[in-house]
Amino acid sequence: MLAFRLGWAIVLVFLLASAAELLGELLWFQELGYAPVFWRILLTQLMLLVLSTLLVAAYLLANLLVLARQVDLPGTVHAAFHRGHFSPPPAPAISDRRLKTLLAALSLVAALIVGLIYAADWDGYLRFAFAQNFGETDPVFGHDLGFYVFVLPFVEKLQNTVTFLAFLVTAVLGAAYAQAGSLRYTPGQGIEAPRAVRSHLLANAILFLLAWASGYVLDRYDLLIDSSGAVFGAGYTDVTITRWALWAAAVVTVAFAVGLYILLSLGRAGHVPVLLGGFAGGMVALLGFFPFAVQQFVVEPNELELETPYLRRNIAFTRAAFALETVEERAYSAGASLDAATIDANRDTVDNIRLWDW
């Protein structure tokens, strides 16, 4: 009872401190005449918090409920925490209704972490929601530069979130099914599990692979800020090989997901290691060997000629970024004589000359 009251007291103190901080910010924004900005930021944070928390909680809860139908979840968790004991205590009995309540609470708490992360990135969402064009396109993909500043960062955040959650859920489900004895690997037979268990794991694994494949599509845009070549940005190898290799990697990843689905649906789990080996080999060739070979044996022997167009792009966009292309160039002839009238006419320049210049 004391611990329960202490927990509520901590929550109450946290809420009061947060309310005091929000009130201080509101008064400050009002004093500057920017109260609408305060409310837009606050409402955006609440929207991101609620929406992302509910979506993630629904995904987690759905998987936990399916898991609870397939295995004795309380007994599995109990056995995992008492592994190695010669005579572990019996697992506590728990009603179905209470189990669902606990799973819902667990899903909500875990999802709240994601919600807080997205609420903290309110400015990233607002840039995405109110994206504007710069009126200038990149020469490689043809997108307006506003896409890279406003849209791409938030899209990458969404892709990374889905990829991480799908991988984490798949790994946890696999460990839980293995602990319960519903999933095991037998040499020569491969992965053995009931059909419902295979379908559950397969659905999350395919979601992970599809999200991972979309990451390769987005990784192509990161080539524009690559700093490993002769210039800062996409070079010869990036434009001619790597960006197409990333597309191919996305296609190969999707093909791997389809192949995995077919094999496990047909009950041919013994062929999965062969499929996995072929997938790994293909990815190494696409993302490692081919770009390296082209850079070493095609670009470096003739680097100046091949990289010259990309050097010109780099210089042109650098000048545009610093507005140097609008600078007016004038030619001044160097005079051989310097008299007092010239010094007086250029007093500001003369006064800025260092007396002791190292």
Side-chain angles (χ1 to χ4, degrees):
M1 182 62 68
L2 179 61
F4 180 77
R5 291 178 178 177
L6 181 61
W8 274 111
I10 293 174
V11 171
L12 181 61
V13 170
F14 174 77
L15 292 176
L16 289 175
S18 300
E21 182 179 1
L22 284 176
L23 179 60
E25 289 185 359
L26 174 60
L27 294 175
W28 184 77
F29 273 90
Q30 286 179 334
E31 184 67 22
L32 296 177
Y34 289 111
V37 176
F38 170 84
W39 290 113
R40 168 165 283 183
I41 292 174
L42 181 61
L43 292 176
T44 301
Q45 288 177 316
L46 290 176
M47 183 270 291
L48 290 172
L49 175 65
V50 173
L51 186 60
S52 56
T53 298
L54 290 179
L55 288 175
V56 174
Y59 172 64
L60 296 178
L61 180 59
N63 279 283
L64 288 175
L65 291 177
V66 173
L67 176 64
R69 286 200 299 266
Q70 303 301 326
V71 302
D72 176 17
L73 194 54
T76 301
V77 175
H78 181 78
F81 278 101
H82 293 85
R83 180 180 295 177
H85 292 204
F86 290 104
S87 57
I94 183 171
S95 66
D96 184 64
R97 182 176 179 181
R98 187 177 181 185
L99 176 61
K100 291 181 178 179
T101 302
L102 289 175
L103 294 180
L106 178 62
S107 301
L108 192 60
V109 171
L112 187 60
I113 298 174
V114 179
L116 291 173
I117 293 174
Y118 272 84
D121 191 32
W122 58 267
D123 56 336
Y125 168 76
L126 289 178
R127 287 196 299 269
F128 168 80
F130 298 95
Q132 299 292 319
N133 289 333
F134 280 20
E136 183 74 40
T137 58
D138 78 88
V140 178
F141 299 105
H143 291 302
D144 187 271
L145 299 186
F147 168 78
Y148 301 98
V149 177
F150 302 122
V151 177
L152 184 60
F154 194 75
V155 173
E156 288 181 331
K157 187 181 186 71
L158 291 174
Q159 182 269 328
N160 288 330
T161 302
V162 175
T163 304
F164 174 76
L165 285 176
F167 174 79
L168 183 64
V169 169
T170 304
V172 171
L173 290 176
Y177 281 128
Q179 174 67 31
S182 299
L183 177 69
R184 58 186 180 274
Y185 178 79
T186 305
Q189 299 295 325
I191 300 173
E192 295 181 349
R195 185 178 183 85
V197 172
R198 292 202 312 268
S199 298
H200 188 199
L201 287 173
L202 188 58
N204 286 278
I206 288 179
L207 175 62
F208 163 69
L209 290 172
L210 294 178
W212 190 13
S214 66
Y216 287 124
V217 177
L218 296 177
D219 285 345
R220 298 176 307 129
Y221 301 125
D222 292 334
L223 296 175
L224 298 179
I225 56 174
D226 182 33
S227 60
S228 60
V231 296
F232 191 93
Y236 179 86
T237 303
D238 294 328
V239 173
T240 59
I241 300 298
T242 307
R243 68 166 173 159
W244 302 112
L246 287 169
W247 257 122
V251 173
V252 169
T253 303
V254 173
F256 173 70
V258 173
L260 189 66
Y261 172 79
I262 293 173
L263 288 179
L264 293 182
S265 298
L266 297 177
R268 299 179 180 178
H271 295 85
V272 170
V274 177
L275 179 65
L276 181 60
F279 170 69
M283 298 301 281
V284 170
L286 284 172
L287 302 179
F289 175 75
F290 289 143
F292 174 79
V294 171
Q295 183 67 29
Q296 287 291 116
F297 303 112
V298 177
V299 176
E300 292 194 5
N302 196 21
E303 190 168 21
L304 181 59
E305 180 179 349
L306 294 178
E307 297 287 8
T308 293
Y310 307 100
L311 284 166
R312 289 174 178 164
R313 288 179 182 176
N314 181 274
I315 294 171
F317 275 84
T318 301
R319 289 173 61 86
F322 289 96
L324 298 179
E325 55 189 5
T326 61
V327 173
E328 181 182 353
E329 298 182 6
R330 297 179 182 177
Y332 291 92
S333 59
S337 61
L338 183 66
D339 52 24
T342 304
I343 294 176
D344 290 336
N346 297 274
R347 176 56 59 186
D348 291 340
T349 301
V350 174
D351 289 344
N352 281 322
I353 298 175
R354 291 181 183 271
L355 184 60
W356 296 108
D357 193 335
W358 56 78

